[in-house]
């Protein structure tokens, strides 16, 4: 089963614009992670935010976490055509040593 | 050791045949995971190992699926009597703290 729901399912923007993707989840978590996947390839870890953190930055990425609303957002600033990919949020539940649970992803298209 | 390796990258098989995939994790990582991903969906958890012990199996893992990790190193995932519904990308990941994914094996059952 998949815990997270990303929103929107698909997003198309112009190069240079910012892209915001949202993720909602159901159970309490230890941490939340964002991954990127180019078409037909494996997943690449982008950023991890722990349940006691509210915001985290990495380069052009900014992640927020609101545990009261069970939601997270990923912001990519100054997008580039190379950012075109699917983006997934994944959670590590609080219930012991359980594996990552992924959402269905947001397909981002950045048009040059 | 540059990452998680999966072999083969692509596999086309006839319905009813058995297939086996291999995953070589990052050598220092004691946990190894198998996920399945169908088109337009996120990865779904199948099973995971800590060293050689298989600690959890998803309900997705029917009796036709078996996974092993002898000696706590590489892992194999076997699917017996393949069905068209088994067509998917099979992803392996290893972790010590963070997850590192391989490029996956794309299975097509015809």
């Amino acid at each position: 089963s998949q815990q997270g729901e990303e929103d929107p399912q698909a997003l198309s923007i112009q190069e240079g614009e910012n892209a915001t993707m949202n993720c909602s989840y159901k159970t309490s978590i230890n941490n939340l992670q964002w991954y990127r996947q180019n078409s037909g390839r494996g997943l690449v870890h982008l950023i991890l935010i722990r349940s006691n953190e509210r915001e985290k930055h990495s380069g052009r990425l900014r992640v927020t976490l609101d545990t009261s609303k069970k939601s997270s957002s990923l912001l990519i600033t100054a997008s580039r055509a190379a950012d075109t990919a699917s983006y997934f949020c994944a959670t590590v539940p609080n219930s012991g040593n359980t594996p990552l649970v992924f959402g269905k992803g947001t397909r981002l298209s950045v048009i040059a | 050791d540059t990452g998680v390796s999966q072999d083969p990258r692509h596999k086309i098989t006839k319905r009813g045949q058995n297939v086996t995939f291999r995953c070589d994790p990052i050598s220092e990582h004691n946990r190894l995971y198998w996920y399945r991903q169908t088109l337009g969906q996120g990865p779904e958890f199948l099973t995971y190992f800590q060293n050689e012990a298989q600690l959890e199996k998803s309900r997705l893992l029917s009796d036709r699926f078996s996974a092993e990790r002898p000696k706590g190193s590489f892992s194999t995932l076997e699917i017996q009597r393949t069905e068209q519904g088994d067509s998917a990308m099979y992803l392996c990941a290893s972790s010590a703290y963070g997850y590192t994914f391989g490029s996956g094996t794309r299975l097509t059952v015809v």
Side-chain angles (χ1 to χ4, degrees), chain A residues 1-2 33 35 37 39-45 48 88 92 97-105 107, chain B residues 9 31 33 35 37 40-45 48 50 56 59-60 89 91 98-99 101-104 106:
Chain A
S1 64
Q2 296 186 295
Q33 304 175 30
Y35 286 80
Q37 184 179 38
S39 180
R41 307 285 295 184
L43 292 102
V44 175
H45 180 263
L48 179 154
F88 295 91
V92 176
N97 289 324
T98 51
L100 278 178
V101 181
F102 284 86
K104 294 184 178 181
R107 290 182 300 283
Chain B
R9 290 292 307 278
R31 291 189 185 178
Y33 304 82
Y35 283 80
Q37 186 179 24
Q41 300 293 314
E44 294 178 294
F45 168 73
Y48 93 95
Q50 179 147 332
E56 190 172 337
R59 286 174 294 176
L60 292 175
M89 174 81 88
L91 294 162
Y99 282 57
F101 279 84
S103 295
R106 181 169 295 284

Side-chain angles (χ1 to χ4, degrees), chain A residues 1 17 23 27 29 43 65 75 77 89-90 94 97 104 110:
Chain A
S1 64
E17 293 181 338
C23 166
T27 63
I29 61 170
L43 292 102
L65 179 64
L75 169 67
T77 60
C89 71
N94 251 342
N97 289 324
K104 294 184 178 181
V110 181

